[in-house]
């Protein structure tokens, strides 16, 4: 076959394809319109949700049927059958189990003899998990066996927000306020002033807190490929202040408690400026979910959330210095409050947020471990490079790796809408759960080692006292014998006792 024949064949094929495309009016004038500003909402945790969208089509199109496809079946599935009915002149809404959808004429067939301008497409969606999926619409004409893509909209799967969920949100706010009030009551301005006079350790700790953690969280987001609400929540955790648990671990591991309390206080106050700064700079480059715009973060919402943290902290500090009796009462019940908070999160909190465990896998565990563990290592390494002593290194390491997850949850819950707000707390909650795992192993060993060391020290002290007593008695006897024999020799009693005790202990 000559080259001319080849080119003529190619040209004929292109013309034929163009003609078929021109004659195929299957999608001409057909578009899907959502009743919820581009979304179709279905609810996770309850029965399948009936939903309706609008189909606008030209009147001259032939008979057709509509089929659906959910791109992410791990997020949502939809019914295969679609009920088509004419649009109503008036749109009536029913509310059942907090689920809103359009009332339609249920003709219960998928093909219309006569097509009109506007139609209701009714189907049922089931949320497998919370998140987003793309819902694609395909049309098939009677004279064709091929499904042709028409349009697509976003399926939004959110948690059913019942009365218990509202109680949980209110409880979170109240508990965070109480915790910050208690922390404010525990602030010692004299200690803070003392550290600020020699600010090397606090400056190093602040740099580690608000530089290392945000950059580590941001790097993990890109390495793991997180987007949308999940990425926002993880980054917000990296920008959050140090948590109160760091004070407890600093005490258990013999760290510098005064520095730990100082840093928890200063980082909480500093988050009023540092958290918005990171969110609106580096946080603005966090990738969005596929097909969605980036999450819009209201600046006023962030300030409102942070004010709910800093103001109780200041009130607690004011109570301590102006109302000492009230302060003593608060301090007396402080341990009880913290125990109740832990019990609340470990019972009711887990029950309400049990969806987090449904998403738990190896990748989530790796990401959740990475932020606190890398924070521990880099924070301690930075303090070591700056030549601080071992006690301060331990404290700064703990302050860097342990974040205030309550601040993070309060912020993301107030600035993001569902399902992004629910997705945003998955990684912070998981990170908080796994942050203490190493300490459950290290702490018993460390405490056992400290106990053995303390016993040895106590034993040495007892032996030293015993030897001192024995040597003293011997010298007393020698002195008495010398006096009897009339000897004029004398020596320094204390030096002799110390020398003989040291010799005996060295030999033993």
């Amino acid at each position: 076959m000559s080259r001319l024949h080849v080119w003529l064949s190619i040209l004929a094929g292109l013309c034929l394809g163009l003609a078929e495309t021109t004659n195929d009016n299957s999608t001409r004038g057909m578009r899907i319109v959502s009743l919820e500003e581009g979304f179709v909402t279905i609810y996770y945790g309850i029965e399948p949700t009936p939903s309706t969208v609008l189909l606008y089509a030209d009147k001259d199109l032939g008979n057709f049927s509509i089929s659906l496809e959910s791109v992410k079946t791990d997020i949502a599935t939809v019914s295969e059958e679609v009920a088509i009915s004419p649009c109503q002149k008036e749109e009536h809404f029913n509310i059942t189990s907090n689920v809103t959808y359009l009332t339609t004429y249920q003709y219960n067939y998928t093909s219309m003899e006569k097509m009109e301008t506007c139609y209701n497409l009714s189907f049922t969606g089931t949320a497998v998990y919370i998140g987003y999926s793309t819902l694609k619409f395909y049309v098939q004409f009677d004279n064709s066996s091929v499904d042709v893509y028409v349009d697509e909209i976003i399926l939004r799967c959110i948690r059913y927000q019942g009365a218990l969920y509202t109680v949980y949100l209110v409880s979170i706010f109240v508990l965070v306020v109480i915790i910050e009030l208690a922390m404010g009551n525990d602030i010692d301005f004299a200690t803070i002033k003392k550290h600020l006079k020699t600010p090397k350790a606090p400056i190093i700790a602040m740099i580690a807190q608000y530089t290392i953690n945000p950059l580590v969280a941001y790097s993990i987001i890109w390495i793991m490929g997180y987007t949308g609400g999940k990425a926002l929540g993880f980054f917000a955790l990296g920008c959050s202040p140090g948590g109160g648990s760091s004070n407890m671990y600093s005490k258990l591991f013999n760290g510098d408690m005064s520095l730990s309390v100082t840093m928890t206080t200063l980082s909480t106050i500093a988050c009023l400026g540092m958290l918005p700064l990171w969110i609106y700079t580096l946080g603005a480059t966090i990738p969005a979910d596929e097909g969605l715009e980036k999450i819009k973060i209201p600046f006023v919402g962030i300030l409102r959330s942070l004010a709910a943290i800093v103001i109780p902290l200041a009130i607690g500090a004011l109570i301590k210095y102006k109302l000492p009796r009230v302060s003593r009462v608060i301090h007396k019940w402080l341990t009880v409050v913290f125990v109740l908070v832990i019990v609340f999160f470990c019972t009711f909190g887990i029950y309400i947020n049990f969806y987090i465990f449904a998403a738990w896998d190896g990748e989530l565990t790796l990401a959740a471990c990475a932020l606190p563990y890398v924070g521990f290592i880099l924070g301690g390494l930075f303090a070591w490079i700056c030549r601080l002593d071992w006690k301060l290194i331990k404290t700064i390491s703990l302050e860097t790796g342990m974040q205030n997850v309550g601040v993070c949850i309060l912020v993301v819950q107030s600035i993001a809408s569902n399902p992004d707000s629910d997705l945003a707390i998955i990684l912070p909650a998981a990170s908080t759960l796994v942050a203490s795992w190493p300490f459950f192993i290290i702490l018993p060993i460390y405490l056992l080692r400290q106990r053995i060391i303390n016993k040895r020290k106590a034993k040495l002290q007892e032996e030293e006292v015993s030897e001192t007593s024995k040597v003293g008695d011997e010298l007393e006897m020698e002195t008495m014998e010398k006096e009897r024999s009339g000897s004029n020799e004398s020596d320094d009693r204390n030096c002799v006792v110390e020398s003989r005790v040291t010799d005996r202990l060295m030999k033993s």
Side-chain angles (χ1 to χ4, degrees):
M1 183 180 290
S2 64
R3 291 186 178 180
L4 179 61
H5 286 97
V6 173
W7 283 108
L8 288 174
S9 300
I10 294 173
L11 183 61
L14 290 174
C15 291
L16 181 60
L18 181 61
E20 290 178 353
T21 303
T22 305
N23 293 330
D24 183 8
N25 63 352
S26 59
T27 60
R28 179 168 54 88
M30 299 185 71
R31 60 190 176 91
I32 302 296
V33 177
S34 170
L35 302 172
E36 303 178 55
E37 300 180 352
F39 293 100
V40 170
T41 300
I42 56 179
Y43 292 85
Y44 174 69
I46 61 173
E47 59 186 10
T49 306
S51 304
T52 300
V53 295
L54 301 180
L55 169 67
Y56 290 96
D58 287 350
K59 293 181 179 180
D60 58 350
L61 293 177
N63 296 335
F64 64 86
S65 61
I66 296 291
S67 60
L68 308 177
E69 178 192 5
S70 174
V71 174
K72 296 180 180 179
T73 54
D74 58 331
I75 300 296
T77 59
V78 290
S79 58
E80 295 181 0
E81 295 185 358
V82 181
I84 303 178
S85 61
C87 289
Q88 301 180 75
K89 292 182 180 179
E90 296 182 1
E91 296 178 350
H92 301 282
F93 290 85
N94 288 343
I95 300 178
T96 305
S97 300
N98 203 31
V99 179
T100 303
Y101 60 94
L102 183 66
T103 302
T104 62
Y105 294 116
Q106 298 297 331
Y107 288 168
N108 295 323
Y109 55 81
T110 59
S111 179
M112 302 294 297
E113 293 294 334
K114 181 180 178 182
M115 304 307 298
E116 298 177 354
T117 303
C118 176
Y119 301 91
N120 290 306
L121 303 183
S122 300
F123 59 93
T124 301
T126 302
V128 181
Y129 196 65
I130 60 173
Y132 298 96
S133 178
T134 302
L135 180 61
K136 293 188 175 183
F137 292 79
Y138 297 89
V139 62
Q140 185 180 109
F141 287 84
D142 288 350
N143 58 0
S144 174
S145 60
V146 179
D147 289 337
V148 180
Y149 169 80
V150 177
D151 204 350
E152 63 185 39
I153 55 177
I154 301 297
L155 275 175
R156 178 172 55 186
C157 302
I158 65 176
R159 278 200 293 169
Y160 172 67
Q161 298 179 358
L164 285 178
Y165 184 74
T166 304
V167 170
Y168 170 74
L169 291 181
V170 174
S171 301
I172 285 287
F173 177 79
V174 172
L175 288 175
V176 169
V177 170
I178 291 174
I179 290 171
E180 295 302 323
L181 186 70
M183 287 179 61
N185 187 69
D186 208 36
I187 292 175
D188 188 351
F189 283 105
T191 301
I192 294 176
K193 186 177 179 181
K194 176 184 175 182
H195 276 288
L196 292 180
K197 286 182 178 179
T198 54
K200 182 179 179 180
I203 290 174
I204 292 170
M206 287 291 286
I207 293 173
Q209 181 74 51
Y210 282 115
T211 302
I212 292 175
N213 283 343
L215 294 178
V216 169
Y218 187 76
S219 301
I220 293 171
I221 287 169
W222 284 97
I223 292 171
M224 295 295 184
Y226 291 130
T227 59
K230 189 177 287 188
L232 174 64
F234 196 59
F235 187 65
L237 179 65
C239 302
S240 296
S245 57
S246 60
N247 305 146
M248 177 183 68
Y249 283 113
S250 291
K251 184 175 182 179
L252 291 173
F253 283 101
N254 196 29
D256 192 312
M257 275 298 295
S258 63
L259 177 63
S260 180
V261 173
T262 299
M263 285 316 306
T264 301
T265 305
L266 294 180
S267 65
T268 303
I269 297 172
C271 79
L272 192 62
M274 295 303 298
L275 198 151
L277 176 65
W278 279 113
I279 292 290
Y280 279 93
T281 52
L282 204 59
T285 64
I286 290 176
D289 285 314
E290 186 178 355
L292 297 174
E293 296 181 356
K294 290 184 178 180
I295 299 173
K296 296 179 181 179
I297 303 172
F299 185 73
V300 176
I302 291 182
L303 291 182
R304 190 185 300 117
S305 301
L306 296 178
I309 297 165
V310 176
I311 291 176
L313 189 75
I315 292 174
L318 192 63
I319 289 173
K320 179 176 181 177
Y321 285 91
K322 296 295 183 181
L323 301 171
R325 291 184 179 179
V326 178
S327 176
R328 284 193 290 270
V329 173
I330 294 174
H331 192 77
K332 180 180 178 181
W333 291 95
L334 188 59
T335 304
V336 177
V337 170
F338 277 116
V339 170
L340 290 176
V341 169
I342 293 172
V343 171
F344 172 82
F345 280 109
C346 291
T347 54
F348 189 60
I350 290 177
Y351 173 74
I352 291 294
N353 298 304
F354 201 75
Y355 72 96
I356 294 174
F357 296 94
W360 204 293
D361 55 15
E363 182 181 296
L364 180 68
T365 304
L366 181 61
C369 291
L371 181 60
Y373 297 172
V374 173
F376 292 140
I377 295 170
L378 293 184
L381 183 62
F382 182 53
W384 177 75
I385 291 173
C386 294
R387 297 185 178 181
L388 297 180
D389 62 46
W390 176 235
K391 203 169 187 178
L392 296 177
I393 290 173
K394 287 189 291 184
T395 306
I396 293 175
S397 174
L398 291 168
E399 285 293 325
T400 306
M402 290 191 165
Q403 307 299 102
N404 192 329
V405 70
V407 172
C408 174
I409 291 176
L410 189 63
V411 169
V412 297
Q413 290 282 355
S414 64
I415 65 176
S417 58
N418 282 319
D420 291 308
S421 60
D422 287 332
L423 292 171
I425 69 173
I426 291 177
L427 280 166
S431 185
T432 302
L433 289 174
V434 302
S436 299
W437 286 357
F439 299 114
F440 294 149
I441 301 172
I442 297 172
L443 187 59
I445 299 173
Y446 178 82
L447 293 177
L448 180 61
R449 179 176 176 273
Q450 288 297 112
R451 187 174 181 180
I452 293 172
I453 291 174
N454 292 335
K455 280 187 175 181
R456 287 179 178 176
K457 287 182 178 179
K459 186 178 180 180
L460 287 174
Q461 288 176 354
E462 289 178 1
E463 290 178 356
E464 185 176 352
V465 171
S466 177
E467 289 296 329
T468 303
S469 177
K470 289 180 181 179
V471 171
D473 292 340
E474 291 176 0
L475 288 175
E476 187 70 27
M477 293 295 294
E478 291 179 5
T479 303
M480 292 176 64
E481 290 178 359
K482 289 179 181 179
E483 289 178 353
R484 289 175 184 173
S485 61
S487 175
N488 295 324
E489 295 180 2
S490 64
D491 49 18
D492 192 334
R493 179 182 176 84
N494 292 334
C495 291
V496 173
V497 169
E498 183 178 352
S499 176
R500 292 188 181 183
V501 168
T502 304
D503 291 340
R504 293 191 183 186
L505 290 175
M506 290 292 291
K507 290 179 181 180
S508 61

